[in-house]
Amino acid sequence: MVIVNKTTGQEKFHSSVNIPERARDEIISILNRDLAAASDLYSQTKQAHWNVKGENFFQLHELFDKLADEVEEAADNIAERVAALGGYALGTVRMAAETSYLVEYTCHSGKGRDHVKMLAERYATFATRVREMTETTAELGDLTTSDLYTEISRTMDKALWFLEAHIQ
Ligand SMILES: [Fe+2]
């Protein structure tokens, strides 16, 4: 049965995971924010994958696709953690557009370097937030979610390295 929090409007289900109710609510809303950002980042990376042109076209086209796959996997793991905690995952494109903290993707030049720069900025924003949430969720007493954030953090740092190596 779905339970609705009258103050926040947050929906949740019963869960026997032994994390106190209040911490669980907070962790679920943290995760949902990052689910939105991850979905947004996924679509932005695909946007680069489809629109890049120029001399390094194929290499960048492939790289962006590989990064998009990794972000998609992160989004899936975040959403499934929400569900495991008894939360309701807010995962549609419209939900993501409403709550993502990333800025919109606006690269129209087609130039590989411009796409890499724009993606790197957004990956950096997401990576920074993910690293912060590694600590925040640990402080809230959920080392399992913290571990998930650590894993995503490692993937995002590597993605950033791959992107920034092209413009250094
Ligand atoms: Fe493709």
Side-chain angles (χ1 to χ4, degrees), residues 46 49-50 61 65:
K46 279 297 211 181
H49 165 75
W50 296 319
H61 175 73
D65 213 22

Side-chain angles (χ1 to χ4, degrees), residues 53-162:
K53 301 191 188 328
E55 53 186 329
N56 294 320
F57 162 73
F58 196 67
Q59 187 249 329
L60 289 175
H61 175 73
E62 295 271 276
L63 170 66
F64 297 157
D65 213 22
K66 179 184 165 297
L67 297 181
D69 283 348
E70 290 172 359
V71 176
E72 190 181 29
E73 195 186 333
D76 191 51
N77 288 331
I78 293 169
E80 288 177 358
R81 185 69 192 152
V82 169
L85 291 171
Y88 181 70
L90 301 170
T92 71
V93 172
R94 289 176 212 214
M95 288 168 183
E98 218 170 278
T99 49
S100 172
Y101 48 81
L102 300 179
V103 278
E104 176 61 305
Y105 198 77
T106 54
C107 182
H108 294 276
S109 80
K111 284 186 195 142
R113 199 180 167 82
D114 293 345
H115 281 288
V116 169
K117 272 180 82 176
M118 191 164 279
L119 279 183
E121 284 165 18
R122 282 140 187 81
Y123 273 75
T125 302
F126 186 60
T128 301
R129 155 86 184 180
V130 164
R131 197 183 324 286
E132 282 167 11
M133 291 309 110
T134 302
E135 275 184 40
T136 304
T137 52
E139 282 161 14
L140 286 165
D142 183 359
L143 292 180
T144 316
T145 298
S146 175
D147 181 64
L148 171 62
Y149 274 112
T150 305
E151 186 193 315
I152 297 170
S153 172
R154 192 160 41 234
T155 308
M156 289 307 117
D157 286 355
K158 191 171 168 188
L160 255 184
W161 164 41
F162 273 52

